[in-house]
Amino acid sequence: MTSLAKPPFNALAYACAHVVSVRRPDGEIVLGSGHALPAHARCIGAWLHHWASAAPGRAFVAERDRGGWRMVSYGEALEAVRRIGAALLARRLSAQRPVAILSDNSVDHLLLCLACQYIGVPVAPISPAYSLMSRDHAKLKAIFGLLDPGLVYVDDEARFAAPLAALAPCAFELVASHPSGRATRFSDLLAAAPDAPLAAAAAAVGPDTIAKFLFTSGSTGEPKAVINTQRMLTSNQESWRTLWPFLGEEPPVLVDWMPWNHTFGGNADCNIVLSDGGTLYIDAGKPAPGLIENTVANLREVAPTMYLNVPRGFDMLLPYLEGDARLRRNFFSRLKLIFYAGAALPPSLWARLEKLGIEETGRRVRMVSAWGSTETAPMATCVHFDIDRAGVIGNPAPGSTLRLIPAGQSEGRAKYEIRVKGPNVTPGYWKRDDLTRAAFDEEGFYRIGDAVRFADESDPARGIEFAGRVAEEFKLMSGTWVHTGALRVKAIAALAPVAQDIVITGHDRESVGFLVFPNIPACRQLAAGLAQDASLPAVFGHPGVVAAVREGMRALKAEGGGSSTHATRAVLMADPPGIDAGEITDKGYINQRAVLARRAALVESLYADPPAAGVIAI
């Protein structure tokens, strides 16, 4: 008889699932880790010194150039960081005159960041989208007005000519790896000699020293500068190592594109490599047409030990893994862990990844996630036990305490607003005491704005699940709550491959509706018989596309659960989300409220009677 049991997971050392739970009389739950947070490094520079001594010739970071891979070892990185640090000290930079970085990930970018953190000068990596995708540069101007940076770095001065002109007459020194005008050449910073003031500055850096300013997306207003201290970053890494002991078994190797102006790429990914003596291969690819091919080329050459990505990234990578045996073999050859962040991995992607891992290795590769925000640097919870589906975001990280406040029901289980306290939590927002006060409750917990539920209400150690954003939930006219986070994930899966993302409508309406950001190449494939250059309205109105959307909507309705769990109308939008309007971040995250505000007229047409042209109804 053939066994239907799944193959076992690959061997991996996890800390046991252990939580400490206290139930209060009012129904609140205070949840903590059963694992103590070990002592953490005084500062990030301590990691660099350690590995430059223990493994000076080991590759620390690499990026592609015309000759192949530009490699920088730990020994070389420390020398460069010390020289750059001395050059920055001579410029009298400080928290009041910090360093701003406008460019994408690169070796020079990373060395400059580390040099700032080495001497205690805050660095602010700023989304390149605010410079290169924006038309009005309004968010960039607001950021510079708040920071007043003393030094600004760009990779290519000519490429950033427009945003730099928009910032005039701001007074700052411009540094570029490829100058073409007034910029100081980046290599000039390396000419400085380490000296006694450098040693004194490095010794003065402590846990409370500001390491960086990271900006929230600003989708609900001007971007906020989240203070990230050295303690936040170093305590986070001790939490990872406590829960994932395998990090100490083999230096991690990452092939990673996640932007460093975001907390996950800049704090989690970079620091997992640095703190554990690994190697970071900077991936110039992204989950976008014309760029995913760079990722594929890198993964054919470099076998990661961990692979971290957002769901959209896995969605675009999977067809290549499924169709390219060489790529698949290299990708899984020493892979210990697949990590998804930013949103739950749709069940279809989970199943395809699991299937490929089993076919290639004979075992299931561990797939895990974590949860947090820019204000938690980034981890507040982490999966460190085997899970069979997406959605579980783990248990509290060592040192983190969660306050769970009853907030109704979600899928038949109790739902809680979640708040966080711990050494990983920001002390506040730069120059915005009003926002800082509003962000923390009377017990000092950070109000993150998310909701969760227990994966198993009888056993808290089995983890919690993300249950949406508290602020995005709404009621239908019937008084029924719509849990937008859970519905969005289900809807994207049901409307695959048409839907790339979905915004949920229906506040004070009789029914739920879907505003669909379509996967245009997939829609064109479904539109059989149309020319490849056919207009988008023609593609979206094609019977094959309409049928796929209706089929997904009907499947959701057939699951039961009432009017709050499916949509009766949907519309495919040709206009992509706008970054200037705050509808999307450069990582591809959609902001529901910003989309609904900008497209209010479209929402009205969605509910018109009879349905407006282009509206798909069931």
Side-chain angles (χ1 to χ4, degrees):
M1 180 181 293
T2 302
S3 172
L4 298 179
K6 285 187 176 182
F9 288 100
N10 59 338
L12 204 62
Y14 280 140
C16 65
H18 184 200
V19 299
V20 177
S21 176
V22 176
R23 293 184 178 267
R24 294 177 170 177
D26 59 1
E28 289 188 9
I29 300 173
V30 178
L31 203 64
S33 175
H35 300 279
L37 177 67
H40 49 84
R42 171 177 61 88
C43 61
I44 286 175
W47 296 333
L48 188 55
H49 270 281
H50 171 80
W51 291 110
S53 174
R58 182 183 299 165
F60 165 43
V61 61
E63 68 178 341
R64 279 194 182 276
D65 60 19
R66 293 180 180 178
W69 288 98
R70 173 193 174 189
M71 294 273 189
V72 177
S73 70
Y74 278 94
E76 291 167 338
L78 177 59
E79 176 66 17
V81 162
R82 285 167 51 78
R83 289 182 174 275
I84 297 167
L88 298 179
L89 278 178
R91 287 160 168 80
R92 300 186 181 280
L93 300 165
S94 66
Q96 301 302 326
R97 297 182 66 247
V99 172
I101 297 177
L102 304 186
S103 292
D104 288 313
N105 303 356
S106 69
V107 168
D108 289 351
H109 178 155
L110 183 57
L111 294 176
L112 180 57
C113 273
L114 291 175
C116 290
Q117 293 166 3
Y118 189 84
I119 62 171
V121 171
V123 61
I126 298 168
S127 170
Y130 294 161
S131 296
L132 303 177
M133 295 174 64
S134 174
R135 295 182 179 179
D136 60 18
H137 301 111
K139 289 185 177 179
L140 188 64
K141 293 175 185 176
I143 288 170
F144 271 60
L146 180 66
L147 287 184
D148 190 21
L151 185 147
V152 175
Y153 168 80
V154 296
D155 176 57
D156 186 330
E157 183 179 0
R159 187 177 179 222
F160 284 82
L164 291 170
L167 292 169
C170 291
F172 53 77
E173 180 183 3
L174 181 66
V175 174
S177 293
H178 304 285
S180 58
R182 68 182 179 93
T184 301
R185 188 175 296 275
F186 179 82
S187 58
D188 290 350
L189 302 183
L190 293 166
D195 52 16
L198 174 76
V205 175
D208 292 316
T209 302
I210 299 175
K212 60 174 68 173
F213 298 120
L214 285 181
F215 284 84
T216 59
S217 63
S219 54
T220 58
E222 290 188 351
K224 298 177 291 188
V226 181
I227 297 170
N228 277 218
T229 64
Q230 297 273 349
R231 176 187 288 107
M232 291 168 64
L233 307 186
T234 58
S235 67
N236 235 269
Q237 291 308 311
E238 286 303 327
S239 291
W240 290 114
R241 273 196 293 273
T242 300
L243 299 179
W244 292 353
F246 63 85
L247 289 172
E249 296 175 354
E250 178 185 3
V253 174
L254 270 61
V255 179
D256 196 81
W257 70 271
M258 302 280 256
W260 296 340
N261 56 280
H262 284 274
T263 185
F264 207 90
N267 288 343
D269 297 5
C270 285
N271 289 342
I272 281 175
V273 169
L274 177 57
S275 65
D276 293 296
T279 303
L280 173 63
Y281 288 84
I282 297 172
D283 178 14
K286 288 183 181 179
L291 293 174
I292 186 65
E293 293 82 1
N294 294 333
T295 297
V296 170
N298 293 334
L299 289 172
R300 282 198 187 102
E301 291 186 25
V302 183
T305 61
M306 302 167 60
Y307 192 68
L308 305 93
N309 213 328
V310 296
R312 177 63 177 155
F314 287 112
D315 186 29
M316 295 202 72
L317 178 62
L318 266 165
Y320 293 93
L321 288 172
E322 290 165 337
D324 186 330
R326 175 189 164 195
L327 170 67
R328 185 170 59 250
R329 187 178 310 115
N330 196 58
F331 180 76
F332 285 102
S333 63
R334 55 177 179 174
L335 191 68
K336 296 181 178 181
L337 195 73
I338 290 174
F339 187 104
Y340 60 91
L345 198 65
S348 59
L349 297 185
W350 179 287
R352 289 164 68 189
L353 278 168
E354 185 173 74
K355 178 175 181 288
L356 287 176
I358 292 171
E359 290 175 351
E360 193 62 42
T361 70
R363 293 177 176 266
R364 286 183 287 167
V365 175
R366 263 58 179 261
M367 288 190 277
V368 299
S369 189
W371 168 86
S373 70
T374 307
E375 289 84 353
T376 62
M379 183 176 63
T381 72
C382 177
V383 174
H384 55 100
F385 43 87
D386 294 333
I387 56 175
D388 289 308
R389 58 182 173 80
V392 178
I393 58 175
N395 289 329
S400 292
T401 303
L402 310 180
R403 183 183 182 188
L404 307 182
I405 301 171
Q409 294 280 312
S410 175
E411 299 191 358
R413 285 170 281 167
K415 185 176 71 171
Y416 301 88
E417 179 193 347
I418 184 171
R419 301 177 183 179
V420 190
K421 182 190 290 186
N424 56 322
V425 176
T426 181
Y429 300 100
W430 185 243
K431 296 182 180 179
R432 291 299 304 268
D433 290 343
D434 57 330
L435 295 178
T436 299
R437 287 191 297 270
F440 293 88
D441 67 19
E442 73 283 0
E443 296 185 26
F445 285 85
Y446 168 60
R447 305 173 187 264
I448 200 166
D450 286 346
V452 298
R453 58 181 174 255
F454 285 104
D456 183 343
E457 292 183 315
S458 66
D459 184 4
R462 297 192 65 176
I464 56 177
E465 298 176 345
F466 180 70
R469 293 283 296 166
V470 174
E472 291 180 352
E473 312 242 313
F474 61 83
K475 285 184 179 181
L476 297 173
M477 287 181 65
S478 63
T480 303
W481 279 101
V482 176
H483 304 299
T484 57
L487 178 55
R488 174 184 163 276
V489 171
K490 286 187 174 182
I492 292 172
L495 270 61
V498 172
Q500 183 168 307
D501 216 319
I502 293 176
V503 170
I504 312 297
T505 72
H507 179 73
D508 287 340
R509 308 275 186 174
E510 292 183 354
S511 62
V512 170
F514 291 160
L515 299 183
V516 181
F517 287 110
N519 181 330
I520 292 175
C523 289
R524 289 194 181 279
Q525 286 186 343
L526 288 170
L530 282 185
Q532 282 301 304
D533 59 351
S535 69
L536 289 180
V539 172
F540 297 160
H542 187 277
V545 175
V546 172
V549 174
R550 283 204 175 111
E551 181 180 347
M553 294 167 69
R554 287 172 176 149
L556 280 176
K557 183 177 181 179
E559 291 181 6
S563 59
S564 66
T565 60
H566 71 276
T568 60
R569 297 185 180 190
V571 63
L572 306 186
M573 299 180 291
D575 182 23
I579 193 163
D580 284 338
E583 292 184 316
I584 192 172
T585 71
D586 57 337
K587 276 177 70 177
Y589 298 160
I590 300 294
N591 181 271
Q592 167 118 348
R593 286 192 291 175
V595 172
L596 292 175
R598 185 186 180 210
R599 303 175 192 241
L602 184 59
V603 175
E604 291 300 324
S605 71
L606 186 67
Y607 288 95
D609 193 15
V615 173
I616 301 170
I618 61 170

